[in-house]
């Protein structure tokens, strides 16, 4: 079992930036780490992921605006979000994934983009 704790969410104006952080309770070295989000009435979607070897995935909706990074030494994962839009409003969840057997989500942090 891996516990994931997100932080850094909040209210930001359109065009603003936020940096989310995720602290894992154990080593993340062997895992792909990512961020998903769920808006009201919608399914959760994976928006960014960084693989064990550093490979990157971004959903089309966030490409060029969001950057995912990892700090294996401290079991941390980050999501830098720039040029935020109202449609980015959602609960953001940290994800740990290692094969199909080990797939964990945190409890989430709310991000609200509004003027």
């Amino acid at each position: 079992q891996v516990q994931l704790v997100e932080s850094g969410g909040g209210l930001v104006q359109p065009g603003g930036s936020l940096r989310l952080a995720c602290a894992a309770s154990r080593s993340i070295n062997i895992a792909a780490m990512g961020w998903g989000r769920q808006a009201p009435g919608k399914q959760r979607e994976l928006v960014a992921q960084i693989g064990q070897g550093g490979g990157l995935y971004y959903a089309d909706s966030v490409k060029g605006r969001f950057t995912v990074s990892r700090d294996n030494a401290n079991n941390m994962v980050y999501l830098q979000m720039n040029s935020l839009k109202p449609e980015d409003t959602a609960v953001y969840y940290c994800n740990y994934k290692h094969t199909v057997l080990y797939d964990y989500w945190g409890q989430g942090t709310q991000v609200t983009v509004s003027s």
Side-chain angles (χ1 to χ4, degrees), residues 12-75:
V12 63
Q13 292 187 341
S17 298
L18 280 176
R19 188 190 193 211
L20 305 183
C22 170
S25 62
R26 58 177 290 180
S27 172
I28 64 171
N29 288 6
I30 63 171
M33 300 299 299
W35 290 90
R37 68 185 182 187
Q38 187 168 19
K42 295 187 177 181
Q43 289 189 331
R44 185 179 300 180
E45 61 168 340
L46 184 69
V47 297
Q49 188 180 61
I50 181 166
Q52 177 186 356
L56 299 172
Y57 163 82
Y58 294 102
D60 287 343
S61 57
V62 307
K63 278 181 183 176
R65 301 188 298 121
F66 289 11
T67 302
V68 60
S69 60
R70 62 192 295 162
D71 176 358
N72 287 351
N74 293 297
N75 301 330

